[in-house]
C-alpha cells in the first residue's frame, strides 16, 4: 500500500473538489433549494435520503418502542376509522388511517370523481373536530382514491405523507406542518402553499389544543384516539398489515416533513448511467444486478443532499441581506427569495455575486448551516483523490480507473452516484467494471446480526478462539437470556473445543471457494477448516518436493529450456506440464470473469490431483532409484520446479502468505525478491506445453491403475506383491503401445510387481479380472494370494439372498392383477430391477465357476466378463432401492 496517497474525504484536496462540484451542479441548473417533503429523522433532527430508509413489514397490532419516547410501547399497523361531519348537516364521511396523529394536519378529504355516493359532496366543507375554523374541503382525485377500497374516502395531510403531498399540489391545498423537528406536536402552525395555483393566498396561524400541544407524536396518537372516542367520532379499529419506514442509522420511525433542503436533479446523469450499462461501456457483475441498477435509476427522484448535522462538508451557499435590512421581514425559505441564495466557491466570490444581485455595495451574507450528505463527497472519490478539479499528472495518469469492487447493498448509495457524478463533471465513466461481492451470512443463510448472536469475527477464525471466550462475548452483549441460551447451544454444537485456528490463507481461500456469482455466502467455519487442511497439505507436499531437488538450482532460462527440450521429456513430465497449461488458461478465464470459486477449484485440483496424487507419485522412483540418475532425473527436477513455480504464482493472490514462504524456498540461481512482484502466469507463456497425447496416455494409465487397485481391494490383497496383466482386445494395438510405453508409471501407481501388456491373448490361469471398458481388462494373478474356497462360500451365501428376490419379482410381474393395474412407469421400473437382479445372479454363478476352475487349475479366461463394471466391485452392488417387501 502506498500510504503517500492516503486520502480522507474531509481533507483539503477533497474538500476543494466538493465545493467545485456543488458550484458546477448549481451552474448547470441541477442543484437547487426548495421546500419539499423529505424523510425526516426526529432522533437525528435531520433529513435522510431514501436509501437510508429501511422498510419493515408489519402484520398488524405490533407493539414497539420509539426513540425519543422512553420505554413506552406503541401499537402499530392498526387501521383506525373516524368520521368528519359535513358542515351545516348531520351527514358524515368516514375515513381511515394507520397514522391517526396526522389528522391534526388534515385539510381535505378526497373522493373519486366517479363515485356516485359522494357526488353531492364535491366541494363541500367538513368540520375538523379540533380546529373548527379550518376548512376541510371535499376534493375529487382519481389518482389518490380507489373507490373500491374502504369507504372510498381518503383523508389528505399534504405536509406529512408523500401521496397526500402530490394531491395537495394538484389541488393547491394548504400545507400544515403539525410537528416540530424533534417530533413534538406544534403549539402553533401557519398553513402554507407548495407550488400549484393560488400562490397569493395567505393564512392565519392556528393554535393547537392544550391537551395535545407539545406532546410527542406517538403520545399524540393515543390522545387523539381518546378524544375522538369522547366526541363520538371513532368508528372502529382493526389490524392492518403495513410497511413501516425506519431510519437505518438511528432506528427512528421516519416522519415525512416539508422542509427547505438542497436537491440534485439526477434525471439526466441517471439516463447516461443507464445508457452506459446498456451499451456495455459499464459492466456490472454479476449481470443479474443490472435489474437493480435500472430499477433505481429509471425511477430516480431528486436527491436531497443537505443534512442537519454538525459534521460534514458545509454547503457553499449564502443568503444575501442588504446591510441594515430587517431580517424578521425576510423569509429565507420563501420561493420569492430563492435568487438571494448565492452559491460560490468562496466568501469573496459570494460577496461579489451578492452585490451584483442586490445592486448595493454593502451586503451581509449568512452561510447555510446544513452540511452535505456524506455520499456527495464519496461520489467524487474516483477523481477527487487525484486532485480534480485541477488538471494534475495523477488525474491524467490514473483516471478513469478500471475496476470497482464493493457490496450490493451500496450499489445505489455509492456506485451509481460515482457514475452519475463522474459523467456529469468529467464526462467520463469513473471505472469500466463493477464487481459486487456476496454477502457473508451464517451457515443457515441468516444475515449476521448481534441480535441473533451469530456474528463471526474474522480474527477469531484466523487466530482461533476458545469456547469460553465465544460464550462470554455472547453474555456481555445485550441479548435476552433466551437468545443467549440459543446462541450458546449453537456454539457448543459447532465448536465443542472452541474455534480452531485457521489462519489468514485458509479464511481467504475458503471465502473465495464459496463465491459463486449472484449468491450470498452461507459460511460454515468447518469448510474453512477444510481449506486449512489444504494449506497444510500444500505446505507438507511442497516441502517434500523441495527435498527431491538435491542441489538443483533453476536457472533464469528454465522455462525456455523446458520448451526447447520438450521432445526429450518423459510422458509423465509432458502430462503434468500440459495440465499446468490447462490450469493457467482456466484460472485466467475464471479471474477475468470474476468466477473466484471456480478459480480456487481449478488450482486445488491441479495441486492435489494432477501434481501431488499423480506426478509426484510417478517421479518418486525417478528421484530416488539409481537407475534413473542422469538426464531423466534432471528433466523431472526441472519439470517439478516449473510446476511449483507457476502453481504457487497462480495461487498467490488467493492464498498469499503460505505461497510467498514456499516460493522463496524454491532453489534458484538468480535473485527473486518476492512472489508479489513476480509475473502472474500467462496462458500464452505455457501454451507450448499443451499435449493432448500425454494427457490421454496418463488417463489410460490411471484407468488401469484404478482397476488394479479395485482388484486389490476386491481380493483383499493389501500391499502384497502381485503380477498384473492389461489385456486389450484385437484391434486395440494403439492403446496397448501407449500403455507399454508408460508401463513403469502404471506399475508404480498400482504397486505392481510386474505389469504385462498383451493384445488378443488368452488370460493366464488363476486370475481375477476387472473390466475397464469393452476392449480392455485388467487381471491379477491370484496364485498363492487368495483362498478360493472362502470366495466360493461368500458368493453362494449371497446367491441365497438374491435368488428369492428374483423369484418373487418374477411372480409379481406375471400376476394378471399386476398386469392389469400397474402403471407403465411401475412396470418399467420392476422390469429394470429384475434385469439387474438377474445379471447379478448370472455374474455370481459365472464367478463361482471361475473359482471352481481356479481350484482345479483350469483357465478362467473370460468367465468373469459378465460381472460388468460395478463401481463398488461388489457383485450385488447397492440394494438400497429394494422395496421393504422385497
Amino acid at each position: 500500500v502506498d500510504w503517500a496517497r492516503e486520502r480522507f474525504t474531509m481533507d483539503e484536496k477533497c474538500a476543494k473538489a466538493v465545493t467545485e462540484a456543488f458550484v458546477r451542479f448549481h451552474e448547470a441548473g441541477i442543484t437547487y433549494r426548495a421546500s419539499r417533503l423529505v424523510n425526516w429523522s426526529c432522533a437525528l433532527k435531520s433529513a435522510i435520503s431514501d436509501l437510508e430508509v429501511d422498510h419493515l413489514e408489519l402484520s398488524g397490532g405490533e407493539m414497539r418502542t420509539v426513540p425519543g419516547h422512553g420505554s413506552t410501547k406503541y401499537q402499530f399497523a392498526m387501521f383506525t376509522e373516524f368520521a368528519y361531519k359535513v358542515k351545516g348537516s348531520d351527514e358524515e364521511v368516514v375515513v381511515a388511517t394507520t397514522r391517526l396523529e396526522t389528522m391534526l394536519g388534515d385539510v381535505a378529504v378526497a373522493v373519486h370523481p366517479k363515485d356516485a355516493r359522494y357526488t353531492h359532496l364535491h366541494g363541500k366543507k367538513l368540520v375538523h373536530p379540533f380546529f373548527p375554523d379550518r376548512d376541510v374541503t371535499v376534493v375529487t382525485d382519481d389518482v389518490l382514491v380507489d373507490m373500491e377500497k374502504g369507504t372510498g374516502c381518503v383523508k389528505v395531510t399534504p405536509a406529512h405523507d408523500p401521496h397526500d403531498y402530490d394531491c395537495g399540489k394538484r389541488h393547491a391545498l394548504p400545507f400544515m406542518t403539525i410537528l416540530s423537528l424533534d417530533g413534538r406536536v406544534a403549539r402553533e402552525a401557519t398553513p402554507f402553499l407548495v407550488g400549484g395555483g393560488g400562490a397569493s393566498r395567505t393564512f392565519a396561524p392556528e393554535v393547537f389544543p392544550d391537551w395535545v400541544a407539545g406532546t410527542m407524536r406517538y403520545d399524540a396518537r393515543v390522545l387523539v384516539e381518546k378524544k375522538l372516542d369522547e366526541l363520538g367520532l371513532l368508528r372502529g379499529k382493526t389490524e392492518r398489515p403495513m410497511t413501516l419506514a425506519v431510519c437505518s442509522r438511528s432506528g427512528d420511525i421516519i416522519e415525512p416533513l416539508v422542509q427547505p433542503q438542497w436537491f440534485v436533479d439526477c434525471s439526466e446523469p441517471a439516463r447516461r448511467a443507464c445508457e452506459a450499462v446498456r451499451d456495455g461501456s459499464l459492466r456490472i457483475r454479476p449481470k443479474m444486478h443490472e435489474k437493480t441498477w435500472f430499477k433505481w435509476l429509471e425511477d430516480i427522484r431528486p436527491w436531497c443532499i443537505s443534512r442537519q448535522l454538525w459534521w460534514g462538508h458545509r454547503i457553499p451557499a449564502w443568503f444575501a441581506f442588504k446591510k441594515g435590512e430587517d431580517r424578521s421581514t425576510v423569509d429565507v425559505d420563501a420561493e420569492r427569495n430563492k435568487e438571494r441564495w448565492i452559491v460560490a466557491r468562496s466568501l469573496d466570490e459570494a460577496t461579489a455575486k451578492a452585490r451584483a444581485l442586490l445592486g448595493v455595495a454593502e451586503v451581509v451574507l449568512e452561510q447555510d448551516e446544513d452540511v452535505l450528505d456524506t455520499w456527495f463527497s464519496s461520489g467524487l472519490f474516483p477523481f477527487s483523490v487525484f486532485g480534480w478539479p485541477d488538471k494534475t499528472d495523477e488525474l491524467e495518469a490514473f483516471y478513469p480507473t478500471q475496476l470497482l469492487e464493493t457490496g450490493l447493498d451500496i450499489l445505489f448509495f455509492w456506485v451509481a452516484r460515482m457514475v452519475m457524478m463522474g459523467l456529469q463533471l468529467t464526462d467520463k465513466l469513473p471505472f469500466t467494471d463493477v464487481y459486487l461481492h456476496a454477502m457473508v451470512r451464517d451457515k443457515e443463510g441468516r444475515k449476521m446480526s448481534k441480535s441473533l448472536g451469530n456474528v463471526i469475527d474474522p480474527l477469531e477464525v484466523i487466530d482461533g478462539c476458545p469456547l469460553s471466550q465465544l460464550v462470554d462475548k455472547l453474555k456481555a452483549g445485550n441479548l435476552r437470556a433466551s437468545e443467549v441460551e440459543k446462541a450458546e447451544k449453537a456454539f457448543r454444537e459447532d465448536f465443542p473445543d472452541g474455534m480452531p485456528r485457521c489462519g489468514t490463507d485458509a479464511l481467504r481461500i475458503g471465502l473465495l471457494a464459496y463465491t459463486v456469482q449472484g449468491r450470498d455466502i452461507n459460511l460454515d467455519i468447518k469448510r474453512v477448516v477444510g481449506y486449512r487442511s489444504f494449506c497444510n497439505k500444500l505446505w507438507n507436499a511442497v516441502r517434500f518436493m523441495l527435498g527431491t531437488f538435491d542441489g538443483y538450482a533453476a536457472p533464469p532460462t528454465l522455462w525456455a529450456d523446458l520448451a526447447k527440450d520438450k521432445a526429450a521429456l518423459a510422458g509423465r513430465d509432458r502430462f503434468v506440464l500440459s495440465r499446468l497449461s490447462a490450469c493457467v488458461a482456466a484460472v485466467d478465464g475464471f479471474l477475468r470473469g470474476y468466477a473466484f470459486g471456480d478459480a480456487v477449484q481449478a488450482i486445488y485440483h491441479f495441486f492435489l490431483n494432477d501434481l501431488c496424487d499423480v506426478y509426484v507419485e510417478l517421479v518418486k522412483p525417478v528421484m530416488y532409484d539409481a537407475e534413473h540418475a542422469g538426464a531423466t532425473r534432471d528433466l523431472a527436477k526441472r519439470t517439478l520446479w516449473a510446476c511449483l513455480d507457476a502453481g504457487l504464482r497462480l495461487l498467490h493472490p488467493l492464498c498469499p502468505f503460505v505461497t510467498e514462504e514456499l516460493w522463496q524456498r524454491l532453489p534458484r540461481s538468480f535473485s527473486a525478491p518476492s512472489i508479489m512482484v513476480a509475473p502472474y502466469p500467462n496462458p500464452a507463456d505455457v501454451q507450448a506445453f499443451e499435449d493432448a497425447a500425454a494427457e490421454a496416455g496418463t488417463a489410460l494409465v490411471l484407468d488401469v491403475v484404478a482397476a488394479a487397485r479395485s482388484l486389490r481391494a476386491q481380493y483383499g490383497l493389501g500391499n502384497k506383491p502381485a503380477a498384473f496383466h492389461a489385456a486389450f482386445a484385437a484391434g486395440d494395438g494403439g492403446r496397448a503401445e501407449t500403455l507399454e510405453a508408460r508401463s513403469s508409471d502404471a506399475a508404480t501407481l498400482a504397486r505392481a510387481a510386474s505389469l504385462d501388456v498383451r493384445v488378443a491373448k488368452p488370460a493366464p490361469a488363476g486370475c481375477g479380472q476387472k473390466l475397464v471398458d469393452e476392449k480392455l481388462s485388467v487381471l491379477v494373478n491370484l496364485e498363492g494370494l487368495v483362498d478360493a474356497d472362502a470366495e466360493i462360500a461368500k458368493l453362494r451365501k449371497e446367491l441365497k439372498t438374491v435368488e428369492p428376490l428374483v423369484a418373487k419379482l418374477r411372480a409379481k410381474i406375471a400376476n394378471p392383477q399386476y398386469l392389469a393395474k400397474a402403471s407403465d412407469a411401475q412396470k418399467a421400473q420392476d422390469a429394470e430391477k429384475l434385469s439387474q437382479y438377474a445379471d447379478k445372479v448370472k455374474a455370481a454363478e459365472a464367478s463361482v465357476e471361475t473359482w471352481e476352475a481356479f481350484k482345479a487349475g483350469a483357465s478362467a479366461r473370460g468367465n468373469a466378463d459378465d460381472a460388468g463394471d460395478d463401481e463398488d466391485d461388489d457383485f450385488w452392488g447397492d440394494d438400497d432401492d429394494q422395496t421393504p417387501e422385497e
Side-chain angles (χ1 to χ4, degrees):
V1 176
D2 183 358
W3 290 107
R5 298 184 184 276
E6 179 188 9
R7 290 291 180 270
F8 173 46
T9 54
M10 293 291 289
D11 68 23
E12 185 177 349
K13 180 180 287 189
C14 292
K16 179 181 178 181
V18 169
T19 299
E20 182 66 25
F22 189 93
V23 172
R24 291 193 188 186
F25 282 177
H26 188 264
E27 290 173 347
I30 62 173
T31 291
Y32 57 91
R33 193 174 192 273
S35 291
R36 298 282 178 86
L37 196 71
V38 297
N39 300 308
W40 188 264
S41 169
C42 298
L44 297 176
K45 295 187 181 69
S46 175
I48 63 173
S49 72
D50 291 343
L51 297 178
E52 294 171 293
V53 178
D54 293 333
H55 298 279
L56 305 182
E57 298 297 329
L58 305 184
S59 58
E62 285 91 338
M63 303 295 292
R64 299 177 60 89
T65 57
V66 180
H69 288 65
S71 60
T72 305
K73 289 190 174 182
Y74 302 88
Q75 194 171 32
F76 288 86
M78 298 299 297
F79 212 44
T80 305
E81 293 186 336
F82 66 96
Y84 277 118
K85 296 293 185 180
V86 178
K87 187 174 286 189
S89 108
D90 293 331
E91 194 173 358
E92 67 180 27
V93 294
V94 177
V95 295
T97 180
T98 56
R99 300 169 62 219
L100 186 59
E101 69 282 1
T102 62
M103 66 84 62
L104 296 169
D106 283 357
V107 296
V109 169
V111 297
H112 197 283
K114 295 182 180 179
D115 193 337
R117 294 173 295 176
Y118 304 112
T119 303
H120 66 290
L121 294 179
H122 292 182
K124 296 288 187 180
K125 305 297 183 185
L126 308 178
V127 178
H128 197 293
F130 309 137
F131 300 93
D133 295 332
R134 183 189 300 175
D135 285 339
V136 178
T137 308
V138 178
V139 298
T140 58
D141 197 302
D142 58 0
V143 176
L144 183 65
V145 181
D146 182 346
M147 60 184 176
E148 301 300 325
K149 291 185 178 179
T151 63
C153 299
V154 178
K155 62 184 284 297
V156 182
T157 319
H160 291 277
D161 181 273
H163 301 295
D164 294 2
Y165 176 86
D166 293 336
C167 177
K169 290 178 66 177
R170 285 193 294 272
H171 297 280
L173 296 173
F175 285 61
M176 172 72 74
T177 299
I178 65 169
L179 299 175
S180 62
L181 300 184
D182 62 353
R184 295 180 182 275
V185 176
R187 296 191 178 277
E188 181 180 290
T190 301
F192 57 94
L193 293 171
V194 176
S200 61
R201 294 157 59 196
T202 57
F203 302 91
E206 294 187 10
V207 177
F208 282 67
D210 290 340
W211 56 266
V212 72
T215 60
M216 296 301 291
R217 52 187 166 148
Y218 293 108
D219 293 325
R221 176 178 295 184
V222 176
L223 292 172
V224 168
E225 181 182 339
K226 180 180 178 182
K227 203 69 172 178
L228 287 171
D229 193 24
E230 290 175 0
L231 295 173
L233 296 174
L234 199 63
R235 295 293 179 264
K237 188 176 181 181
T238 56
E239 293 182 357
R240 171 67 66 91
M242 66 172 288
T243 300
L244 190 66
V246 176
C247 173
S248 63
R249 290 192 287 166
S250 66
D252 189 21
I253 297 171
I254 294 301
E255 187 64 45
L257 283 182
V258 176
Q259 288 291 306
Q261 302 288 328
W262 290 91
F263 295 88
V264 175
D265 178 0
C266 298
S267 54
E268 178 57 20
R271 183 195 66 76
R272 294 183 67 186
C274 287
E275 189 59 35
V277 172
R278 287 196 179 93
D279 66 22
S281 52
L282 177 64
R283 293 176 291 274
I284 297 176
R285 302 171 188 268
K287 191 176 177 64
M288 60 185 287
H289 295 308
E290 288 182 4
K291 280 187 177 180
T292 306
W293 183 264
F294 293 130
K295 178 184 175 183
W296 277 106
L297 292 179
E298 289 178 344
D299 192 31
I300 198 166
R301 298 169 62 185
W303 173 19
C304 176
I305 56 173
S306 48
R307 297 290 181 270
Q308 292 66 48
L309 305 172
W310 63 267
W311 69 91
H313 293 277
R314 193 169 177 182
I315 292 176
W318 292 260
F319 191 86
F321 294 94
K322 297 177 181 177
K323 187 175 182 180
E325 187 173 16
D326 184 357
R327 299 187 185 186
S328 65
T329 64
V330 180
D331 184 355
V332 299
D333 300 321
E335 180 73 13
R336 63 180 178 275
N337 290 326
K338 69 177 184 179
E339 296 298 329
R340 294 176 71 172
W341 279 101
I342 308 297
V343 173
R345 294 170 179 81
S346 65
L347 179 60
D348 289 343
E349 183 181 323
T351 301
K353 287 184 176 181
R355 288 170 178 164
L357 175 71
L358 299 178
V360 295
E362 295 188 83
V363 295
V364 177
L365 299 181
E366 286 190 2
Q367 188 173 359
D368 196 326
E369 293 184 349
D370 289 354
V371 297
L372 286 165
D373 178 8
T374 186
W375 296 107
F376 189 93
S377 55
S378 299
L380 304 173
F381 209 70
F383 45 94
S384 66
V385 295
F386 298 130
W388 184 92
D390 297 332
K391 294 183 178 180
T392 64
D393 292 339
E394 287 182 324
L395 186 67
E396 182 68 26
F398 301 125
Y399 184 82
T401 62
Q402 181 181 356
L403 171 67
L404 172 74
E405 186 274 343
T406 188
L408 173 63
D409 53 336
I410 55 174
L411 177 61
F412 195 79
F413 271 117
W414 189 32
V415 182
R417 284 167 176 166
M418 284 191 283
V419 171
M420 290 191 292
M421 297 176 90
L423 289 171
Q424 179 69 27
L425 294 169
T426 71
D427 203 34
K428 296 178 182 177
L429 286 168
F431 30 74
T432 56
D433 292 83
V434 177
Y435 177 73
L436 302 170
H437 61 235
M439 176 180 285
V440 180
R441 299 178 179 272
D442 72 8
K443 66 177 183 179
E444 296 173 9
R446 300 175 302 174
K447 187 174 181 179
M448 290 189 191
S449 164
K450 289 182 180 178
S451 63
L452 293 174
N454 64 344
V455 175
I456 298 173
D457 185 340
L459 293 178
E460 292 173 348
V461 180
I462 293 170
D463 298 327
C465 182
L467 179 62
S468 58
Q469 183 176 325
L470 295 173
V471 174
D472 290 344
K473 188 172 70 170
L474 277 176
K475 293 179 178 178
N478 58 358
L479 297 179
R480 293 196 297 267
S482 60
E483 293 170 338
V484 170
E485 183 180 353
K486 183 178 178 181
E488 182 178 346
K489 181 182 178 183
F491 274 143
R492 293 189 183 279
E493 289 176 353
D494 290 343
F495 313 113
D497 300 318
M499 193 175 292
R501 182 178 183 180
C502 295
T504 305
D505 283 332
L507 179 59
R508 284 172 62 102
I509 201 169
L511 289 173
L512 288 168
Y514 266 113
T515 304
V516 178
Q517 287 200 12
R519 297 184 190 172
D520 286 344
I521 294 173
N522 296 346
L523 181 61
D524 187 347
I525 297 301
K526 293 176 182 176
R527 186 166 174 184
V528 177
V529 173
Y531 280 99
R532 178 187 69 170
S533 299
F534 166 72
C535 292
N536 287 339
K537 287 178 183 177
L538 179 68
W539 177 267
N540 292 330
V542 175
R543 289 293 299 274
F544 168 79
M545 295 179 219
L546 291 174
T548 67
F549 289 125
D550 190 26
Y552 172 77
T557 58
L558 175 116
W559 284 96
D561 295 344
L562 268 179
K564 183 178 62 176
D565 296 336
K566 181 180 176 183
L569 295 173
R572 55 184 167 266
D573 300 331
R574 287 183 283 113
F575 156 75
V576 76
L577 288 172
S578 182
R579 294 306 305 145
L580 173 64
S581 176
C583 182
V584 170
V587 172
D588 182 79
F590 291 142
L591 293 184
R592 289 181 186 278
Y594 304 96
F596 301 113
D598 293 331
V600 168
Q601 293 307 314
I603 300 172
Y604 184 97
H605 177 81
F606 172 74
F607 266 110
L608 264 60
N609 299 100
D610 298 330
L611 186 60
C612 294
D613 289 351
V614 178
Y615 184 71
V616 170
E617 294 302 319
L618 288 175
V619 297
K620 281 181 179 177
V622 177
M623 297 299 191
Y624 298 116
D625 293 352
E627 62 186 274
H628 294 292
T632 302
R633 183 178 295 174
D634 290 342
L635 288 171
K637 288 181 179 180
R638 288 157 59 185
T639 300
L640 183 58
W641 197 98
C643 289
L644 291 177
D645 170 51
L648 291 172
R649 284 187 284 127
L650 204 62
L651 180 59
H652 177 69
L654 316 180
C655 191
F657 296 101
V658 69
T659 51
E660 177 74 78
E661 182 68 23
L662 291 172
W663 192 80
Q664 291 288 353
R665 293 171 186 243
L666 287 178
R668 54 175 66 85
S669 62
F670 56 95
S671 62
S674 171
I675 194 174
M676 288 188 292
V677 295
Y680 196 71
N682 188 328
D685 296 336
V686 290
Q687 189 174 9
F689 296 106
E690 289 180 8
D691 195 324
E695 292 197 39
T698 303
L700 178 60
V701 167
L702 295 178
D703 286 343
V704 170
V705 169
R709 288 174 175 173
S710 181
L711 287 168
R712 280 188 177 277
Q714 181 175 339
Y715 295 109
L717 300 182
N719 290 322
K720 296 176 184 177
F724 286 87
H725 307 272
F728 289 89
D732 203 10
R735 285 203 302 167
E737 287 182 13
T738 299
L739 184 61
E740 183 69 50
R742 302 286 298 276
S743 60
S744 62
D745 288 342
T748 296
L749 294 181
R751 301 190 305 278
S754 64
L755 176 64
D756 169 50
V757 180
R758 53 180 58 208
V759 180
K761 292 182 181 179
C767 285
Q769 177 174 288
K770 176 72 177 179
L771 192 68
V772 175
D773 56 42
E774 68 276 5
K775 291 186 177 183
L776 171 61
S777 297
V778 175
L779 304 98
V780 60
N781 194 330
L782 299 173
E783 290 282 357
L785 298 177
V786 294
D787 183 345
D789 288 330
E791 294 298 326
I792 292 170
K794 175 184 173 184
L795 288 165
R796 285 177 173 162
K797 180 180 178 182
E798 295 190 8
L799 271 171
K800 289 180 181 179
T801 302
V802 76
E803 284 176 335
L805 295 176
V806 173
K808 191 170 187 177
L809 197 51
R810 281 176 175 161
K812 174 183 175 182
I813 291 175
N815 189 312
Q817 210 170 11
Y818 170 86
L819 293 172
K821 294 183 177 180
S823 66
D824 291 341
Q826 182 65 47
K827 290 176 182 177
Q829 182 180 344
D830 290 339
E832 176 65 22
K833 191 174 291 185
L834 178 60
S835 175
Q836 292 173 359
Y837 288 157
D839 287 345
K840 289 179 179 181
V841 169
K842 183 180 177 182
E845 289 173 342
S847 294
V848 169
E849 290 180 15
T850 299
W851 283 112
E852 292 288 3
F854 173 70
K855 284 175 60 179
S859 172
R861 180 181 178 276
N863 289 357
D865 284 354
D866 293 331
D869 191 18
D870 194 321
E871 188 67 23
D872 295 324
D873 303 304
D874 178 349
F875 288 110
W876 313 119
D878 186 359
D879 286 336
D880 289 344
D881 58 348
Q882 295 175 10
T883 64
E885 181 180 294
E886 292 167 341

